[in-house]
Amino acid sequence: MAIIDEDVRTYGYADLPGLMGLMTGDEKHGPAATSTLDVLWVLYDRVLRVAPGRLDDPARDRFLLSKGHGPMAYYAVLAAKGFVPVEWLPGFGSYDSPLGHHPDRMLVPGAEIGSGSLGHGLPIAVGTALGLRARRLTEPAVWVLVGDAELDEGSNHEAIAFAGPAGLERLHTVVIDNASARHARPGGITARFEAAGWSAVTVDGRDHDRLYDAFTAPHPGRPHVVVARVEPKNS
């Protein structure tokens, strides 16, 4: 669970819509952001071993937002957990704001990668997991959040195909399924990962308890994917 310094106000899940409402301007990619809200909250509130005071701790978990073209929910959760000041939120997307339309790891505390271009996050997560294993850092978990449409990109299929046989047990992927992918998959998204040797489960992407159970399910010797179904993008 992320740790908040005592002199910083603690925000809860109910505060997230208000925090997101502080971010105005054009090109907000609202559906892309709101589709991730519950997944992000459960991860940062109950699963990830990260905190504002341990951004450089080698033992921290790594969270990579591949779905970076809709970062409003991400910024709201980071603000709620004390990684970035709430006062930054109203400037979202402005020229001099550190909170751009795509997260920049050099400007946003807690952001592990610069993201937003589809198909990059999962390959980077595979490389991160390999790097940690090479350094014999076995405790940190690597998490990456992707959108279902990103799975149309070939780079992700190469990453999926590699990670299973490589036995990257500390690699976890969350796919936000809002029915925006162009190409159907026989058996659903989980079938693609299972065919490559992954542990896979599909859950309601708005049910916090089911998300937590899926995120913490054991998967010895295999990478793990959670497909979080939310309302269709154009509904």
Side-chain angles (χ1 to χ4, degrees):
M1 181 181 297
I3 300 171
I4 305 295
D5 293 336
E6 292 183 0
D7 60 344
V8 177
R9 177 184 167 187
T10 300
Y11 293 86
Y13 175 76
D15 297 306
L16 295 182
L19 293 175
M20 290 182 67
L22 296 174
M23 289 176 272
T24 59
D26 298 329
E27 299 182 15
K28 294 192 295 183
H29 287 284
T34 56
S35 67
T36 67
L37 187 62
D38 296 273
V39 163
L40 286 166
W41 179 255
V42 174
L43 283 173
Y44 273 89
D45 192 55
R46 303 173 63 180
V47 178
L48 293 174
R49 296 178 305 127
V50 295
R54 55 182 300 193
L55 298 180
D56 297 320
D57 183 354
R60 74 189 185 282
D61 289 343
R62 274 68 166 175
F63 174 78
L64 284 58
L65 180 69
S66 186
K67 194 177 170 68
H69 60 287
M72 290 171 59
Y74 181 51
Y75 293 154
V77 171
L78 289 179
K81 291 299 181 181
F83 289 85
V84 303
V86 172
E87 291 75 20
W88 284 8
L89 299 180
F92 164 70
S94 62
Y95 177 77
D96 59 350
S97 173
L99 304 182
H101 293 297
H102 291 188
D104 185 331
R105 71 180 184 88
M106 302 301 293
L107 300 177
V108 182
E112 296 281 355
I113 60 171
S115 62
S117 298
L118 299 182
H120 289 180
L122 183 52
I124 295 173
V126 168
T128 302
L130 285 170
L132 290 171
R133 186 161 73 178
R135 295 168 61 192
R136 299 184 180 180
L137 293 173
T138 59
E139 291 188 6
V142 179
W143 289 82
V144 58
L145 176 61
V146 307
D148 60 333
E150 287 192 80
L151 298 183
D152 292 339
E153 302 290 336
S155 54
N156 278 329
H157 289 280
E158 293 176 4
I160 293 167
F162 177 86
L168 296 182
E169 182 177 346
R170 302 305 291 159
L171 176 63
H172 307 76
T173 298
V174 185
V175 180
I176 300 295
D177 182 4
N178 63 358
S180 60
R182 291 180 180 272
H183 305 298
R185 295 170 180 79
I189 293 173
T190 55
R192 172 67 186 90
F193 285 84
E194 288 174 332
W198 288 58
S199 166
V201 63
T202 298
V203 297
D204 180 348
R206 301 301 187 189
D207 188 318
H208 291 195
D209 288 336
R210 289 186 181 275
L211 285 169
Y212 176 77
D213 288 343
F215 292 159
T216 57
H219 50 95
R222 297 190 291 168
H224 184 54
V225 63
V226 176
V227 179
R229 286 181 173 169
V230 298
E231 58 280 359
K233 180 178 181 180
N234 297 318
S235 65

